[in-house]
């Protein structure tokens, strides 16, 4: 079973601070995605990283995929109250997962971020 | 393009009752998933399907059943509802065998069992 461990589970910070959320696994994924969920809504895709060592930037958000494609991080610079929400990472199983798992997404348990004004 | 549609949006069940949560997608996605999300928590996979006629258990399948008779529909059945099944349920779909697989989620069904 390919599992994704996300940390921290809860994060409460002041506006303007920086933060990093981690997503780790002992398994290799063909790609890794980050989603954001606002209250009362379903998760929405922020970014997909597919190459080991890849770094993608989305305004104040920086996403990194580990060289071995087993882990990822999300860094937010100068957090704002509008960043508050649940952040989820998800890995797409690669060919080595076997059986019917190829292409299936496995989600981490999520990080609840609260940014106080 | 409707995407993933879930019905109902809200439901209150009495202990022991049964119900079916409906999910349909119009994107011709092969993968479909059912997740539950407890207050303040992340997603837990209940069941998933890789295509019509094929389903498999996720992390927390007990008390639930699914079927996938068509590509579009993936209903989730609760038999003998229990208070522990109070949660928000999300259906999602994705088009797999591609490195840029993206999951599209429905709006969720908020279920309360009393």
């Amino acid at each position: 079973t390919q599992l994704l461990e996300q940390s921290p589970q809860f994060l409460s910070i002041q506006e303007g601070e920086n933060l990093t959320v981690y997503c780790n696994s002992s398994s290799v994924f063909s790609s890794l995605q980050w989603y954001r969920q606002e209250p009362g809504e379903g998760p929405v895709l922020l970014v997909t990283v597919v190459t080991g060592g890849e770094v993608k930037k989305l305004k104040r958000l920086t996403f990194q995929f580990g060289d071995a494609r087993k882990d990822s991080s999300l860094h937010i610079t100068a957090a704002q109250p509008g960043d508050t929400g649940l952040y989820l990472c998800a890995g797409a199983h690669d060919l080595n997962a076997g059986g019917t798992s190829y292409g299936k997404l496995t989600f981490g348990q999520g990080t609840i971020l609260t940014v106080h004004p | 393009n409707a995407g993933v549609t879930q019905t109902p949006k809200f439901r209150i069940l009495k202990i022991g009752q049964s119900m079916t949560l409906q999910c349909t997608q119009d994107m011709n996605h092969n993968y479909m998933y059912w997740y539950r999300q407890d207050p303040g928590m992340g997603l837990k996979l209940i069941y998933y399907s890789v295509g019509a006629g094929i389903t498999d258990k996720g992390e927390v399948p007990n008390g639930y059943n699914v079927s996938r008779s068509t590509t579009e529909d993936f209903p989730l059945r609760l038999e003998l509802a229990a208070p522990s099944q109070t949660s928000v349920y999300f259906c999602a779909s994705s088009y797999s065998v591609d490195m840029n697989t993206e999951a599209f989620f429905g709006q969720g069904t908020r279920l309360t069992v009393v």
Side-chain angles (χ1 to χ4, degrees), chain A residues 15-35:
Chain A
E15 182 175 2
E17 292 183 8
N18 301 332
L19 66 110
T20 303
V21 178
Y22 299 93
C23 185
N24 296 299
S25 175
S26 58
S27 303
V28 176
F29 292 97
S30 63
S31 67
L32 203 136
Q33 303 170 355
W34 287 91
Y35 292 76

Side-chain angles (χ1 to χ4, degrees), chain B residues 59-111:
Chain B
E59 302 172 67
V60 289
N62 292 343
Y64 306 94
N65 274 303
V66 293
S67 59
R68 185 94 182 270
S69 56
T70 66
T71 299
E72 294 78 19
D73 300 307
F74 190 42
L76 177 71
R77 178 84 177 160
L78 277 73
E79 306 281 2
L80 298 174
S84 61
Q85 293 179 305
T86 294
S87 190
V88 180
Y89 291 83
F90 286 100
C91 178
S93 71
S94 64
Y95 185 71
S96 75
V97 298
D98 181 279
M99 288 190 295
N100 287 301
T101 297
E102 174 182 353
F104 293 83
F105 285 82
Q107 292 287 306
T109 296
R110 186 174 296 274
L111 175 67

Side-chain angles (χ1 to χ4, degrees), chain A residues 9-10 30-31 33 35 37 40-45 48-50 86 88 92 100-110 112, chain B residues 31 33 35 37 39-43 45 48 50 54 56 59 90 94 96-108 110:
Chain A
Q9 190 174 352
F10 301 95
S30 63
S31 67
Q33 303 170 355
Y35 292 76
Q37 183 184 23
E41 301 289 329
V44 175
L45 181 69
T48 300
V49 284
V50 298
L86 173 67
L88 295 155
T100 59
S101 292
Y102 179 50
K104 181 168 79 76
L105 288 175
T106 293
F107 279 84
Q109 67 268 45
I112 296 175
Chain B
Y31 273 97
Y33 314 79
Y35 293 93
Q37 186 175 40
M41 305 298 286
L43 301 172
L45 182 64
Y48 71 100
V50 304
I54 305 170
D56 209 346
E59 302 172 67
F90 286 100
S94 64
S96 75
V97 298
D98 181 279
M99 288 190 295
N100 287 301
T101 297
E102 174 182 353
F104 293 83
F105 285 82
Q107 292 287 306
R110 186 174 296 274

Side-chain angles (χ1 to χ4, degrees), chain A residues 36-73:
Chain A
R36 180 165 174 261
Q37 183 184 23
E38 297 192 22
E41 301 289 329
V44 175
L45 181 69
L46 292 173
V47 78
T48 300
V49 284
V50 298
T51 306
E54 182 177 2
V55 177
K56 279 191 176 179
K57 293 193 175 184
L58 196 67
K59 297 183 180 178
R60 293 176 294 102
L61 279 60
T62 302
F63 305 85
Q64 186 162 9
F65 202 12
D67 291 341
R69 291 187 289 125
K70 294 181 179 181
D71 54 85
S72 181
S73 63

Side-chain angles (χ1 to χ4, degrees), chain A residues 82-97:
Chain A
D83 295 327
T84 293
L86 173 67
Y87 289 81
L88 295 155
C89 64
H93 293 214
D94 68 3
L95 273 173
N96 293 325

